[in-house]
Amino acid sequence: MLSERMLSRLIHSMTKRELTLKPTDETMMPPAEPGQKYMLYLHVPFCERLCPYCSFNRYPFREDVAKPYFANMRKEMMMLKDLGYDFESIYVGGGTPTVMIDELCETLDMARDNFDIREVASETNPNHLTQPWLDKLHGRVQRLSVGVQSFDNDLLKQMDRYEKYGSGEEILERIAEAEPYFDSLNVDMIFNFPSQTEDVLMADLEKIALCGCRQTTFSPLYVSSATTRKMAATLGKVDYDREYRYYQILDGVLAGGDDPLFERTTLWTFTREGQQEGASLCGFENSKPQIEEYQVNYDEYPAIGSGSITHLNGCLYVNNFSIKDYNAAIESGRMSIMGKTVMSERDLMRYRFLLDLYKLRLDKRAFERDFGCSVETGLPLEMAFMRLNRAFATDNEEELTLTPKGRYLTVVMYRQFLSGMNNLRDQARAALTGAERELLFGDGCPA
């Protein structure tokens, strides 16, 4: 699609220009806004396997490194309490948050003791859908997202996940066993792997339909500058020309037809039909179920842990990617902020435009209330492009909703935005030195 290629280049250029990490001497996050409800993001940067496509801050797991790290993350959490923050929700990402289950449980218990936590969401990998993990997570974590990526054994072997996390058949069995332990079990998948065929995608979709999960995310494969070379060497080069076709297939199978199994919750999140009672889990009274993506449920949030990115007051704050430097900062009584990006009013409008369309509906009146101008006035080029490409199913004084083509164009925009965030992480990772740099970069080139 010509419009897809133009859009990819445009968003890539914008994010490269706007998501630039600048040094800062700030040692603490801004204080909380009185009365505002917050989510807290915690980053656990340890994995038993380092996937070649992942740009999040992650290191090979070592217990002697991870244990003091968890202790310092708890200290950083209490620094936020001293700044006046209260949290109604927690999201734990990684890495693999469940890599040291007792440390994770101690951290979540401390959070519940000190904040008004109503629900906890966490990521995990399929090998932790067993005992004792399930019993320890039960009641502590309400929403669990399992990084499956694909049930295809050849793909799992290419990603170096088969040996550690199990075969597709084993993962499918574990999901069925784990589902009753949580209010919501999300299966996190990826589409458009280089070696993924339409038949492989269809087989994955069939397994999703059978596995009993309440929700699934099918995100497109997106990379950063630092992961492109290693991913191409292990998985092959990404073919974006077929991405639209793959998205049409998965969207149609999951949410199309007269009697769909799932409904669209976002562009690539699908919630099983007949399970909408989950919308009010843990006191969250929403018209739609909560989404297993922390950026979507909250416009702003503080984030703790090495390599985490905070979004507060129109700024992105990036924590140090060095675990050694992160620990030293926390132990000296300051936060580990290594840089920040200040977003302009136009950047914030674009972010809101993208996020709302990702959630399938933009409220025009809310946009105008929050920015003091209409979306047409604030973002004339973006609106003209979308209208020219017939992206809007509804375009009136109240709202914007998307046509099938509009959904895909927004997929492209969001995919490119996430790639831009990955490149922001690359800027922070480039500052690593010594043993940590050697561990991740090896020959001195980005992995």
Side-chain angles (χ1 to χ4, degrees), residues 374-395:
S374 68
V375 65
E376 287 86 357
T377 302
L379 300 172
L381 294 179
E382 289 83 351
M383 288 294 291
F385 177 87
M386 296 294 273
R387 283 170 171 162
L388 181 65
N389 283 279
R390 299 180 180 179
F392 298 130
T394 307
D395 183 359

PDB file of all heavy atoms in Angstrom, residues 374-395:
ATOM      1  N   SER A 374     -10.122  22.389  18.187  1.00  0.00           N
ATOM      2  CA  SER A 374     -10.658  21.173  17.589  1.00  0.00           C
ATOM      3  C   SER A 374      -9.534  20.319  17.029  1.00  0.00           C
ATOM      4  O   SER A 374      -8.419  20.811  16.777  1.00  0.00           O
ATOM      5  CB  SER A 374     -11.638  21.520  16.472  1.00  0.00           C
ATOM      6  OG  SER A 374     -10.944  22.104  15.380  1.00  0.00           O
ATOM      7  N   VAL A 375      -9.819  19.047  16.809  1.00  0.00           N
ATOM      8  CA  VAL A 375      -8.811  18.178  16.219  1.00  0.00           C
ATOM      9  C   VAL A 375      -8.494  18.621  14.801  1.00  0.00           C
ATOM     10  O   VAL A 375      -7.343  18.507  14.347  1.00  0.00           O
ATOM     11  CB  VAL A 375      -9.274  16.701  16.278  1.00  0.00           C
ATOM     12  CG1 VAL A 375     -10.507  16.460  15.413  1.00  0.00           C
ATOM     13  CG2 VAL A 375      -8.142  15.761  15.860  1.00  0.00           C
ATOM     14  N   GLU A 376      -9.468  19.191  14.084  1.00  0.00           N
ATOM     15  CA  GLU A 376      -9.214  19.701  12.734  1.00  0.00           C
ATOM     16  C   GLU A 376      -8.240  20.872  12.756  1.00  0.00           C
ATOM     17  O   GLU A 376      -7.356  20.978  11.904  1.00  0.00           O
ATOM     18  CB  GLU A 376     -10.528  20.133  12.076  1.00  0.00           C
ATOM     19  CG  GLU A 376     -11.431  18.992  11.654  1.00  0.00           C
ATOM     20  CD  GLU A 376     -12.345  18.502  12.779  1.00  0.00           C
ATOM     21  OE1 GLU A 376     -12.228  19.033  13.912  1.00  0.00           O
ATOM     22  OE2 GLU A 376     -13.164  17.616  12.534  1.00  0.00           O
ATOM     23  N   THR A 377      -8.390  21.752  13.737  1.00  0.00           N
ATOM     24  CA  THR A 377      -7.490  22.908  13.855  1.00  0.00           C
ATOM     25  C   THR A 377      -6.115  22.500  14.358  1.00  0.00           C
ATOM     26  O   THR A 377      -5.086  22.983  13.878  1.00  0.00           O
ATOM     27  CB  THR A 377      -8.092  23.956  14.805  1.00  0.00           C
ATOM     28  OG1 THR A 377      -9.377  24.366  14.305  1.00  0.00           O
ATOM     29  CG2 THR A 377      -7.190  25.174  14.938  1.00  0.00           C
ATOM     30  N   GLY A 378      -6.084  21.613  15.332  1.00  0.00           N
ATOM     31  CA  GLY A 378      -4.806  21.213  15.932  1.00  0.00           C
ATOM     32  C   GLY A 378      -3.977  20.315  15.048  1.00  0.00           C
ATOM     33  O   GLY A 378      -2.742  20.408  15.040  1.00  0.00           O
ATOM     34  N   LEU A 379      -4.631  19.432  14.290  1.00  0.00           N
ATOM     35  CA  LEU A 379      -3.918  18.443  13.478  1.00  0.00           C
ATOM     36  C   LEU A 379      -4.466  18.433  12.048  1.00  0.00           C
ATOM     37  O   LEU A 379      -5.024  17.431  11.584  1.00  0.00           O
ATOM     38  CB  LEU A 379      -4.045  17.049  14.104  1.00  0.00           C
ATOM     39  CG  LEU A 379      -3.487  16.877  15.527  1.00  0.00           C
ATOM     40  CD1 LEU A 379      -3.845  15.510  16.084  1.00  0.00           C
ATOM     41  CD2 LEU A 379      -1.971  17.093  15.561  1.00  0.00           C
ATOM     42  N   PRO A 380      -4.330  19.532  11.327  1.00  0.00           N
ATOM     43  CA  PRO A 380      -4.943  19.619   9.994  1.00  0.00           C
ATOM     44  C   PRO A 380      -4.376  18.619   8.992  1.00  0.00           C
ATOM     45  O   PRO A 380      -5.123  18.044   8.194  1.00  0.00           O
ATOM     46  CB  PRO A 380      -4.673  21.066   9.570  1.00  0.00           C
ATOM     47  CG  PRO A 380      -3.483  21.496  10.381  1.00  0.00           C
ATOM     48  CD  PRO A 380      -3.621  20.783  11.685  1.00  0.00           C
ATOM     49  N   LEU A 381      -3.058  18.396   9.008  1.00  0.00           N
ATOM     50  CA  LEU A 381      -2.456  17.480   8.045  1.00  0.00           C
ATOM     51  C   LEU A 381      -2.857  16.037   8.324  1.00  0.00           C
ATOM     52  O   LEU A 381      -3.154  15.269   7.400  1.00  0.00           O
ATOM     53  CB  LEU A 381      -0.933  17.622   8.073  1.00  0.00           C
ATOM     54  CG  LEU A 381      -0.375  18.968   7.599  1.00  0.00           C
ATOM     55  CD1 LEU A 381       1.145  18.972   7.692  1.00  0.00           C
ATOM     56  CD2 LEU A 381      -0.814  19.275   6.178  1.00  0.00           C
ATOM     57  N   GLU A 382      -2.869  15.669   9.595  1.00  0.00           N
ATOM     58  CA  GLU A 382      -3.255  14.304   9.960  1.00  0.00           C
ATOM     59  C   GLU A 382      -4.708  14.029   9.580  1.00  0.00           C
ATOM     60  O   GLU A 382      -5.024  12.958   9.024  1.00  0.00           O
ATOM     61  CB  GLU A 382      -3.058  14.093  11.464  1.00  0.00           C
ATOM     62  CG  GLU A 382      -1.608  14.030  11.910  1.00  0.00           C
ATOM     63  CD  GLU A 382      -0.955  15.396  12.119  1.00  0.00           C
ATOM     64  OE1 GLU A 382      -1.583  16.432  11.758  1.00  0.00           O
ATOM     65  OE2 GLU A 382       0.173  15.445  12.650  1.00  0.00           O
ATOM     66  N   MET A 383      -5.577  14.988   9.847  1.00  0.00           N
ATOM     67  CA  MET A 383      -6.986  14.812   9.504  1.00  0.00           C
ATOM     68  C   MET A 383      -7.179  14.755   7.987  1.00  0.00           C
ATOM     69  O   MET A 383      -7.958  13.946   7.476  1.00  0.00           O
ATOM     70  CB  MET A 383      -7.811  15.940  10.111  1.00  0.00           C
ATOM     71  CG  MET A 383      -7.974  15.854  11.612  1.00  0.00           C
ATOM     72  SD  MET A 383      -8.961  14.419  12.127  1.00  0.00           S
ATOM     73  CE  MET A 383     -10.582  14.892  11.503  1.00  0.00           C
ATOM     74  N   ALA A 384      -6.460  15.592   7.257  1.00  0.00           N
ATOM     75  CA  ALA A 384      -6.586  15.589   5.799  1.00  0.00           C
ATOM     76  C   ALA A 384      -6.121  14.257   5.222  1.00  0.00           C
ATOM     77  O   ALA A 384      -6.760  13.694   4.313  1.00  0.00           O
ATOM     78  CB  ALA A 384      -5.776  16.740   5.210  1.00  0.00           C
ATOM     79  N   PHE A 385      -5.004  13.730   5.742  1.00  0.00           N
ATOM     80  CA  PHE A 385      -4.504  12.444   5.257  1.00  0.00           C
ATOM     81  C   PHE A 385      -5.516  11.333   5.506  1.00  0.00           C
ATOM     82  O   PHE A 385      -5.805  10.525   4.610  1.00  0.00           O
ATOM     83  CB  PHE A 385      -3.180  12.112   5.950  1.00  0.00           C
ATOM     84  CG  PHE A 385      -2.628  10.759   5.568  1.00  0.00           C
ATOM     85  CD1 PHE A 385      -1.822  10.628   4.450  1.00  0.00           C
ATOM     86  CD2 PHE A 385      -2.926   9.628   6.316  1.00  0.00           C
ATOM     87  CE1 PHE A 385      -1.323   9.381   4.079  1.00  0.00           C
ATOM     88  CE2 PHE A 385      -2.433   8.385   5.962  1.00  0.00           C
ATOM     89  CZ  PHE A 385      -1.628   8.257   4.836  1.00  0.00           C
ATOM     90  N   MET A 386      -6.060  11.274   6.702  1.00  0.00           N
ATOM     91  CA  MET A 386      -7.010  10.209   7.036  1.00  0.00           C
ATOM     92  C   MET A 386      -8.293  10.342   6.218  1.00  0.00           C
ATOM     93  O   MET A 386      -8.851   9.343   5.744  1.00  0.00           O
ATOM     94  CB  MET A 386      -7.302  10.224   8.534  1.00  0.00           C
ATOM     95  CG  MET A 386      -6.097   9.913   9.413  1.00  0.00           C
ATOM     96  SD  MET A 386      -5.461   8.224   9.229  1.00  0.00           S
ATOM     97  CE  MET A 386      -6.515   7.370  10.426  1.00  0.00           C
ATOM     98  N   ARG A 387      -8.769  11.552   6.030  1.00  0.00           N
ATOM     99  CA  ARG A 387      -9.983  11.747   5.234  1.00  0.00           C
ATOM    100  C   ARG A 387      -9.744  11.396   3.770  1.00  0.00           C
ATOM    101  O   ARG A 387     -10.589  10.778   3.119  1.00  0.00           O
ATOM    102  CB  ARG A 387     -10.472  13.188   5.385  1.00  0.00           C
ATOM    103  CG  ARG A 387     -11.182  13.445   6.713  1.00  0.00           C
ATOM    104  CD  ARG A 387     -11.451  14.913   6.955  1.00  0.00           C
ATOM    105  NE  ARG A 387     -12.304  15.113   8.127  1.00  0.00           N
ATOM    106  CZ  ARG A 387     -12.431  16.260   8.773  1.00  0.00           C
ATOM    107  NH1 ARG A 387     -11.742  17.335   8.377  1.00  0.00           N
ATOM    108  NH2 ARG A 387     -13.226  16.354   9.827  1.00  0.00           N
ATOM    109  N   LEU A 388      -8.594  11.782   3.240  1.00  0.00           N
ATOM    110  CA  LEU A 388      -8.263  11.469   1.857  1.00  0.00           C
ATOM    111  C   LEU A 388      -8.247   9.966   1.622  1.00  0.00           C
ATOM    112  O   LEU A 388      -8.637   9.484   0.546  1.00  0.00           O
ATOM    113  CB  LEU A 388      -6.900  12.074   1.504  1.00  0.00           C
ATOM    114  CG  LEU A 388      -6.389  11.861   0.073  1.00  0.00           C
ATOM    115  CD1 LEU A 388      -7.306  12.569  -0.928  1.00  0.00           C
ATOM    116  CD2 LEU A 388      -4.961  12.368  -0.071  1.00  0.00           C
ATOM    117  N   ASN A 389      -7.809   9.214   2.632  1.00  0.00           N
ATOM    118  CA  ASN A 389      -7.731   7.758   2.518  1.00  0.00           C
ATOM    119  C   ASN A 389      -8.995   7.054   3.037  1.00  0.00           C
ATOM    120  O   ASN A 389      -8.972   5.843   3.237  1.00  0.00           O
ATOM    121  CB  ASN A 389      -6.498   7.244   3.266  1.00  0.00           C
ATOM    122  CG  ASN A 389      -5.212   7.477   2.502  1.00  0.00           C
ATOM    123  OD1 ASN A 389      -4.873   6.719   1.601  1.00  0.00           O
ATOM    124  ND2 ASN A 389      -4.498   8.537   2.852  1.00  0.00           N
ATOM    125  N   ARG A 390     -10.044   7.833   3.249  1.00  0.00           N
ATOM    126  CA  ARG A 390     -11.343   7.274   3.682  1.00  0.00           C
ATOM    127  C   ARG A 390     -11.177   6.394   4.920  1.00  0.00           C
ATOM    128  O   ARG A 390     -11.659   5.263   4.978  1.00  0.00           O
ATOM    129  CB  ARG A 390     -11.999   6.502   2.544  1.00  0.00           C
ATOM    130  CG  ARG A 390     -12.297   7.388   1.329  1.00  0.00           C
ATOM    131  CD  ARG A 390     -12.953   6.622   0.212  1.00  0.00           C
ATOM    132  NE  ARG A 390     -13.227   7.500  -0.924  1.00  0.00           N
ATOM    133  CZ  ARG A 390     -13.787   7.108  -2.062  1.00  0.00           C
ATOM    134  NH1 ARG A 390     -14.129   5.832  -2.211  1.00  0.00           N
ATOM    135  NH2 ARG A 390     -14.001   7.965  -3.037  1.00  0.00           N
ATOM    136  N   ALA A 391     -10.472   6.948   5.903  1.00  0.00           N
ATOM    137  CA  ALA A 391     -10.158   6.190   7.118  1.00  0.00           C
ATOM    138  C   ALA A 391     -11.266   6.224   8.152  1.00  0.00           C
ATOM    139  O   ALA A 391     -11.270   5.404   9.072  1.00  0.00           O
ATOM    140  CB  ALA A 391      -8.866   6.729   7.739  1.00  0.00           C
ATOM    141  N   PHE A 392     -12.201   7.191   8.046  1.00  0.00           N
ATOM    142  CA  PHE A 392     -13.190   7.372   9.100  1.00  0.00           C
ATOM    143  C   PHE A 392     -14.556   6.804   8.702  1.00  0.00           C
ATOM    144  O   PHE A 392     -15.115   7.176   7.671  1.00  0.00           O
ATOM    145  CB  PHE A 392     -13.340   8.857   9.448  1.00  0.00           C
ATOM    146  CG  PHE A 392     -12.088   9.486   9.984  1.00  0.00           C
ATOM    147  CD1 PHE A 392     -11.604  10.687   9.466  1.00  0.00           C
ATOM    148  CD2 PHE A 392     -11.365   8.871  11.002  1.00  0.00           C
ATOM    149  CE1 PHE A 392     -10.447  11.263   9.952  1.00  0.00           C
ATOM    150  CE2 PHE A 392     -10.211   9.444  11.500  1.00  0.00           C
ATOM    151  CZ  PHE A 392      -9.741  10.638  10.979  1.00  0.00           C
ATOM    152  N   ALA A 393     -15.065   5.927   9.548  1.00  0.00           N
ATOM    153  CA  ALA A 393     -16.436   5.435   9.366  1.00  0.00           C
ATOM    154  C   ALA A 393     -17.428   6.452   9.900  1.00  0.00           C
ATOM    155  O   ALA A 393     -18.523   6.622   9.343  1.00  0.00           O
ATOM    156  CB  ALA A 393     -16.614   4.096  10.080  1.00  0.00           C
ATOM    157  N   THR A 394     -17.072   7.112  10.990  1.00  0.00           N
ATOM    158  CA  THR A 394     -17.868   8.198  11.566  1.00  0.00           C
ATOM    159  C   THR A 394     -16.981   9.427  11.680  1.00  0.00           C
ATOM    160  O   THR A 394     -15.854   9.332  12.189  1.00  0.00           O
ATOM    161  CB  THR A 394     -18.390   7.821  12.967  1.00  0.00           C
ATOM    162  OG1 THR A 394     -19.076   6.576  12.914  1.00  0.00           O
ATOM    163  CG2 THR A 394     -19.330   8.898  13.496  1.00  0.00           C
ATOM    164  N   ASP A 395     -17.486  10.567  11.186  1.00  0.00           N
ATOM    165  CA  ASP A 395     -16.728  11.813  11.250  1.00  0.00           C
ATOM    166  C   ASP A 395     -17.743  12.946  11.368  1.00  0.00           C
ATOM    167  O   ASP A 395     -18.144  13.551  10.377  1.00  0.00           O
ATOM    168  CB  ASP A 395     -15.871  11.966   9.999  1.00  0.00           C
ATOM    169  CG  ASP A 395     -14.983  13.216  10.036  1.00  0.00           C
ATOM    170  OD1 ASP A 395     -15.054  13.969  11.029  1.00  0.00           O
ATOM    171  OD2 ASP A 395     -14.223  13.433   9.069  1.00  0.00           O
TER     172      ASP A 395
END
